[in-house]
Amino acid sequence: MESVLAEAVALLDEAGAAALTFRALAQRLGGGVASIYWYVANKDELLDRAADHAMGPVLNDVDKLPRSDDPIDDLRSIALTLFDAIVQRPWLSSYFMRNTSIQTHTLGLYEKLGQQTLRLDLTPSQRFYAVSAIVGVVVGSAADLGQEPTQDMLDGNVDRDAYLHRIAQDWRDLDPREFPFVHEIADEFDGHDDADQFRAALELTLTGLRLQAGA
Amino acid sequence: MESVLAEAVALLDEAGAAALTFRALAQRLGGGVASIYWYVANKDELLDRAADHAMGPVLNDVDKLPRSDDPIDDLRSIALTLFDAIVQRPWLSSYFMRNTSIQTHTLGLYEKLGQQTLRLDLTPSQRFYAVSAIVGVVVGSAADLGQEPTQDMLDGNVDRDAYLHRIAQDWRDLDPREFPFVHEIADEFDGHDDADQFRAALELTLTGLRLQAGA
DNA sequence: ACCTGAACACCGTTCAAGT
DNA sequence: ACCTGAACACCGTTCAAGT
């Protein structure tokens, strides 16, 4: 079981989500395709478990994070750690932190986030929404990362800067009276840093939360 | 082309993302499988275009939204309209508002959101991040919706309440000293409304934005 | 309890050929 | 410009049979 998940993660790291097939995995394990079905009911569960396997070290990193006396600061640190995990493993984006019945590390991460909200003056309902919101920011940014041409970039066909530049140029070519906003932010989009974008979104949510908690 | 997308959307509406195959689509169009490749380069593009096709009416709905004198209120209205679109078409979640080169309606929706930020006292960079953050909240919530057992629910195997209840019960069975947060919010999770969860997350972001704009 | 080979019922994509 | 049939190279999943 352990080695099945380890090889699955290795395969995903090396060549992305499309590379994880039962046949490729079986070959790496030196066995038959059907063997994998003894450990896992179907491909969805395989991906859920592989994603959670990759989250083990992340939960560890979060545990080692220094705890400050501002719970909002701690929420920020945890969220940034989660974001880093996705940057390093883009294939996580689709199976990231869903299905807490199977993903035990994910449940642990919810708990870590939630414990910070316990230090804030909020109702249980507000705490539930707060953690959902923060995870939502991470997942939303992950989806944004996944939308960039990661595969083409791995293949060396396109580099990210050229890709962003091409889109920004399309935007600049639009009628500025019909698209005043897109026009205004074309320069911002061109060469933007995903991490900055994530941090900005996270900051808005954390500010809202701080205000709600009166902290 | 128009009818290809219309039938693709119909197929997606009737039976979900897994049902959209080139063979099923060709059969509905009364033609051969390969014909579709004249309109579309591959399946990814088909899904991108189908999603954008479904976004046409949404852009229209947004256009008809009454404009208030508070841009934050208008951002909220637009975001809620986007959320509604995903609730009605869960298959949108994976291809929702990505790839503005192909999805022209998506670009229009970015523009609508962005125009509201033009009414706020923000830098271009802040405006870019603000719209990303709002779209992120919608996409993050969409991912959350998609994680629930939609297919099983369509098949009538599981109903949502029973599903949530089962998870909440798992949470209540955990050691409350190791999982104080998960324990605290089990009741909130049980039977929670996705729309409430979305609105709460959106509100945190909008509050943060209002503060940033000094409005 | 764990693994296998071989088959089944699908996929997306291509291509030479048609009108 | 638009469409086709037929093939290619894959998939996930099942199952009877093995140890």
Side-chain angles (χ1 to χ4, degrees), chain A residues 68-118:
Chain A
S68 80
D69 36 292
D70 183 358
I72 302 273
D73 283 346
D74 289 351
L75 283 169
R76 182 185 301 106
S77 305
I78 301 174
L80 284 169
T81 306
L82 294 182
F83 181 74
D84 277 347
I86 298 179
V87 170
Q88 274 157 44
R89 306 194 130 121
W91 55 266
L92 270 178
S93 59
S94 310
Y95 285 81
F96 179 76
M97 297 203 85
R98 63 173 212 185
N99 197 344
T100 53
S101 322
I102 284 183
Q103 302 184 330
T104 60
H105 295 135
T106 286
L107 183 65
L109 286 163
Y110 272 112
E111 178 61 34
K112 296 291 171 199
L113 287 164
Q115 284 178 7
Q116 298 308 317
T117 67
L118 291 177

Side-chain angles (χ1 to χ4, degrees), chain A residues 168-180:
Chain A
Q169 199 49 53
D170 287 347
W171 289 0
R172 282 188 271 256
D173 291 342
L174 294 168
D175 179 355
R177 273 187 310 190
E178 200 184 346
F179 293 94

Side-chain angles (χ1 to χ4, degrees), chain A residues 23 30-35 38-39:
Chain A
R23 283 170 176 81
V33 204
S35 319
W38 194 87
Y39 298 98

Side-chain angles (χ1 to χ4, degrees), chain B residues 57-193:
Chain B
V58 180
L59 183 57
N60 242 314
D61 289 347
V62 166
D63 264 324
K64 283 186 307 215
L65 245 33
R67 179 177 147 153
S68 80
D69 37 294
D70 183 358
I72 303 272
D73 284 346
D74 289 352
L75 284 169
R76 182 184 301 106
S77 305
I78 300 174
L80 284 169
T81 306
L82 294 182
F83 181 75
D84 277 346
I86 298 179
V87 170
Q88 274 156 44
R89 306 194 130 121
W91 56 266
L92 270 177
S93 60
S94 311
Y95 284 80
F96 179 76
M97 298 202 84
R98 63 172 213 188
N99 198 346
T100 53
S101 320
I102 282 183
Q103 301 184 330
T104 62
H105 295 135
T106 286
L107 183 65
L109 286 163
Y110 272 111
E111 178 62 33
K112 297 292 171 200
L113 286 164
Q115 284 178 8
Q116 298 308 317
T117 68
L118 291 176
R119 300 167 64 199
L120 291 166
D121 185 25
L122 297 169
T123 67
S125 162
Q126 286 174 327
R127 293 193 178 111
F128 170 55
Y129 291 143
V131 172
S132 302
I134 291 169
V135 173
V137 172
V138 180
V139 169
S141 301
D144 210 46
L145 279 175
Q147 119 189 31
E148 287 170 17
T150 334
Q151 193 49 57
D152 278 348
M153 282 165 59
L154 281 181
D155 299 347
N157 297 331
V158 191
D159 84 317
R160 201 187 97 98
D161 281 344
Y163 175 76
L164 294 184
H165 190 69
R166 189 162 48 80
I167 294 176
Q169 200 49 54
D170 288 346
W171 289 359
R172 282 187 271 255
D173 291 341
L174 293 169
D175 179 356
R177 273 187 312 192
E178 201 183 346
F179 293 93
F181 169 72
V182 170
H183 231 258
E184 158 144 329
I185 55 99
D187 289 347
E188 305 301 325
F189 182 81
D190 204 349
H192 78 271
D193 184 354

